[in-house]
Amino acid sequence: MAQSERNAVIKFNELFMKHFISVSLFLFIILSVFINNGLKAQTNNGRYKREMKKFMKFIRKSEFERYPVLEINNYLCNKGLFNGIILFGTGVYGLSNEEKSALQKAIYTDTTKYYINKHLMKNIQFVSENENYYYRLSKPIFLRNFSLCVFSFMSVVKPDESQEWTYMYKKEKGKWSKLLVMGKILSY
């Protein structure tokens, strides 16, 4: 092999290794970001599920205690709820602009259904939307590191009467309590 051919092979190998290292580093960084975000999402998702279960038990005791058996859809979903919500200003329990944006995003873009089982709340009966009377429940929307929660529920009375309530709840010393009404639409 001639000297010029050897030099060409050496340059090719050097270029190949330089690009291989750059591409490998780039792929490593991208993969690390995806893995980190995936672990973070799993951690947040696990915490959300734990907090949601505690909150739903509180809701069963506080909002629906007068019902020996509560008839509900077998899922939690934000779609079609949170009508007439009032996003109020700043202060101790007023929402910051970032919190308002996060709340609006959860209300209007998260329309997925979270299917529940009978262990989430006591004395519930799942009914279909063909029934004449039942409750629809939203997914709890947590703010401020799970210390505030916005929750909406609707009593569906067919043929055409419904009532919906949206409240903000606060958690202090590990206990939930109702803080204020955020919206209410009657008979629409």
Side-chain angles (χ1 to χ4, degrees), residues 73 75 113 127-132 134 136 156 158:
N73 285 129
Y75 58 84
K113 295 178 179 179
V127 296
S128 71
E129 294 180 0
N130 297 329
E131 296 292 323
N132 290 330
Y134 61 94
R136 289 188 58 223
V156 177
K158 293 191 177 178

Side-chain angles (χ1 to χ4, degrees), residues 1-14:
M1 191 182 301
Q3 185 65 30
S4 63
E5 289 176 352
R6 281 189 208 136
N7 289 342
V9 168
I10 291 170
K11 282 192 173 205
F12 174 79
N13 287 340
E14 287 174 353

Side-chain angles (χ1 to χ4, degrees), residues 71-106:
E71 295 181 346
I72 60 173
N73 285 129
N74 67 338
Y75 58 84
L76 307 176
C77 184
N78 296 344
K79 186 175 183 179
L81 292 169
F82 296 100
N83 296 308
I85 192 167
I86 301 165
L87 297 179
F88 49 93
T90 59
V92 175
Y93 294 109
L95 300 176
S96 69
N97 289 334
E98 293 82 17
E99 290 169 325
K100 289 177 188 176
S101 294
L103 181 59
Q104 287 176 327
K105 182 179 178 185

Side-chain angles (χ1 to χ4, degrees), residues 12-176:
F12 174 79
N13 287 340
E14 287 174 353
L15 281 173
F16 176 79
M17 288 306 291
K18 188 185 275 186
H19 288 294
F20 178 77
I21 290 171
S22 297
V23 169
S24 298
L25 185 58
F26 175 75
L27 290 175
F28 176 75
I29 291 170
I30 295 296
L31 186 61
S32 297
V33 168
F34 281 123
I35 290 172
N36 188 31
N37 286 342
L39 292 174
K40 188 175 180 181
Q42 286 179 354
T43 303
N44 287 342
N45 192 25
R47 180 157 186 213
Y48 178 85
K49 285 181 181 180
R50 285 189 306 276
E51 295 293 336
M52 189 240 335
K53 288 177 184 178
K54 292 175 191 174
F55 181 78
M56 294 307 292
K57 288 178 182 179
F58 160 75
I59 287 296
R60 178 64 176 112
K61 287 180 183 176
S62 62
E63 301 295 347
F64 302 108
E65 69 182 333
R66 69 177 186 256
Y67 299 101
V69 175
L70 178 63
E71 295 181 346
I72 60 173
N73 285 129
N74 67 338
Y75 58 84
L76 307 176
C77 184
N78 296 344
K79 186 175 183 179
L81 292 169
F82 296 100
N83 296 308
I85 192 167
I86 301 165
L87 297 179
F88 49 93
T90 59
V92 175
Y93 294 109
L95 300 176
S96 69
N97 289 334
E98 293 82 17
E99 290 169 325
K100 289 177 188 176
S101 294
L103 181 59
Q104 287 176 327
K105 182 179 178 185
I107 290 170
Y108 299 116
T109 63
D110 183 6
T111 58
T112 60
K113 295 178 179 179
Y114 180 85
Y115 287 91
I116 57 178
N117 60 40
K118 290 196 178 223
H119 300 291
L120 185 62
M121 297 187 331
K122 291 182 179 181
N123 301 323
I124 58 174
Q125 180 179 348
F126 296 131
V127 296
S128 71
E129 294 180 0
N130 297 329
E131 296 292 323
N132 290 330
Y133 182 79
Y134 61 94
Y135 278 91
R136 289 188 58 223
L137 309 176
S138 74
K139 291 183 207 172
I141 301 173
F142 295 105
L143 301 167
R144 296 188 190 168
N145 199 25
F146 297 92
S147 65
L148 292 179
C149 183
V150 178
F151 183 73
S152 186
F153 56 95
M154 174 189 291
S155 70
V156 177
V157 182
K158 293 191 177 178
D160 56 11
E161 241 185 85
S162 298
Q163 293 184 335
E164 179 186 341
W165 300 268
T166 300
Y167 295 105
M168 180 178 284
Y169 301 85
K170 66 177 178 172
K171 181 168 65 171
E172 291 181 324
K173 298 181 183 176
K175 303 255 186 215
W176 286 103

